[in-house]
Amino acid sequence: GENVEQHPSTLSVQEGDSAVIKCTYSDSASNYFPWYKQELGKRPQLIIDIRSNVGEKKDQRIAVTLNKTAKHFSLHITETQPEDSAVYFCAASKGENFGNEKLTFGTGTRLTIIP
Amino acid sequence: DVKVTQSSRYLVKRTGEKVFLECVQDMDHENMFWYRQDPGLGLRLIYFSYDVKMKEKGDIPEGYSVSREKKERFSLILESASTNQTSMYLCASWTTNNIGELFFGEGSRLTVL
């Protein structure tokens, strides 16, 4: 089955600096790569996703890049703000509209923004 | 507003007790999932269901079972709770029509004494 590795496990950055979180996956058939943010005491929520026919996707201060050849993808947060402090999870899926599709998650990165 | 609702936010049970965790979604999603969240281990899939009465094992199914009698409801069952099942349990659902966001419930924090 799919295996997703995520690093670093913790990351502290000064407010205004950039943060990068990296993930690798094992199944070359995976085609859908979302990122989830979990604030303290809350449920994980989707913040951005990318599909394999795209190399990069951006949404305001957040961007995700995908390298299918190397089987890795990254989350980039620019101009970090205190509200970016949270745990971030990457995930992978085949992304096909089959009934038994599922998401495999990485182990998470705790991001702390230092004011 | 889409909703995945878990019946209990906090539970305390004793070793050997049978535990039911209930989850209901109101989005008519086909697929429902139970994940377990532990620090440093991320979100690990226990079981999932892609249709009523259908279920598939995830990565860590040992010690758990599930039930899906209706499309909107997915239950996680611990037949005989053990201390190593103390954890946060997250229910989630998504639609297989254009795979996209996985919607999570608020979580159920289970402590087994």
Side-chain angles (χ1 to χ4, degrees), chain A residues 35-64:
Chain A
W35 286 87
Y36 284 76
K37 176 183 180 182
Q38 186 179 30
E39 297 177 358
L40 190 62
K42 297 192 175 180
R43 71 188 83 193
Q45 291 193 289
L46 178 70
I47 55 172
I48 194 167
D49 58 13
I50 192 167
R51 298 177 195 268
S52 63
N53 56 346
V54 175
E56 183 174 355
K57 185 176 179 181
K58 195 172 181 180
D59 182 3
Q60 299 183 333
R61 296 186 298 107
I62 293 173
V64 57

Side-chain angles (χ1 to χ4, degrees), chain A residues 36 99, chain B residues 1-4 23-33 49-52 68 70-74 91-104:
Chain A
Y36 284 76
Chain B
D1 193 19
V2 296
K3 259 196 178 165
V4 178
C23 175
V24 177
Q25 52 96 3
D26 64 0
M27 297 163 282
D28 200 35
H29 284 170
E30 300 84 3
N31 288 22
M32 296 186 73
F33 305 83
S49 168
Y50 52 91
D51 201 351
V52 174
R68 192 162 181 206
K70 293 185 177 182
K71 189 176 184 180
E72 67 271 18
R73 187 179 298 270
F74 192 36
C91 176
S93 72
W94 76 2
T95 177
T96 52
N97 297 320
N98 191 20
I99 295 277
E101 183 169 3
L102 186 63
F103 292 91
F104 284 91

Side-chain angles (χ1 to χ4, degrees), chain A residues 1-96:
Chain A
E2 176 66 276
N3 181 49
V4 178
E5 294 189 358
Q6 181 174 350
H7 55 93
S9 57
T10 60
L11 179 62
S12 295
V13 301
Q14 290 291 139
E15 182 177 352
D17 287 351
S18 295
V20 180
I21 302 170
K22 298 182 180 182
C23 289
T24 59
Y25 61 97
S26 61
D27 190 345
S28 57
S30 289
N31 282 311
Y32 174 65
F33 308 94
W35 286 87
Y36 284 76
K37 176 183 180 182
Q38 186 179 30
E39 297 177 358
L40 190 62
K42 297 192 175 180
R43 71 188 83 193
Q45 291 193 289
L46 178 70
I47 55 172
I48 194 167
D49 58 13
I50 192 167
R51 298 177 195 268
S52 63
N53 56 346
V54 175
E56 183 174 355
K57 185 176 179 181
K58 195 172 181 180
D59 182 3
Q60 299 183 333
R61 296 186 298 107
I62 293 173
V64 57
T65 58
L66 171 64
N67 183 328
K68 280 220 79 180
T69 303
K71 289 192 280 187
H72 67 71
F73 55 113
S74 301
L75 178 71
H76 305 253
I77 307 174
T78 58
E79 300 171 19
T80 53
Q81 300 170 4
E83 55 264 35
D84 295 329
S85 292
V87 178
Y88 291 81
F89 294 98
C90 62
S93 164
K94 289 186 178 64
E96 296 159 340

Side-chain angles (χ1 to χ4, degrees), chain B residues 31-88:
Chain B
N31 288 22
M32 296 186 73
F33 305 83
W34 277 104
Y35 286 91
R36 172 175 171 163
Q37 183 174 15
D38 300 287
L41 299 177
L43 300 165
R44 294 180 292 166
L45 183 62
I46 303 171
Y47 265 100
F48 67 107
S49 168
Y50 52 91
D51 201 351
V52 174
K53 297 192 186 294
M54 304 302 288
K55 61 184 179 184
E56 279 202 26
K57 292 181 180 179
D59 301 314
I60 52 165
E62 296 78 19
Y64 303 94
S65 62
V66 290
S67 172
R68 192 162 181 206
E69 296 296 320
K70 293 185 177 182
K71 189 176 184 180
E72 67 271 18
R73 187 179 298 270
F74 192 36
S75 302
L76 180 69
I77 304 156
L78 289 68
E79 292 289 343
S80 177
S82 63
T83 54
N84 62 12
Q85 292 178 309
T86 291
S87 187
M88 172 67 83

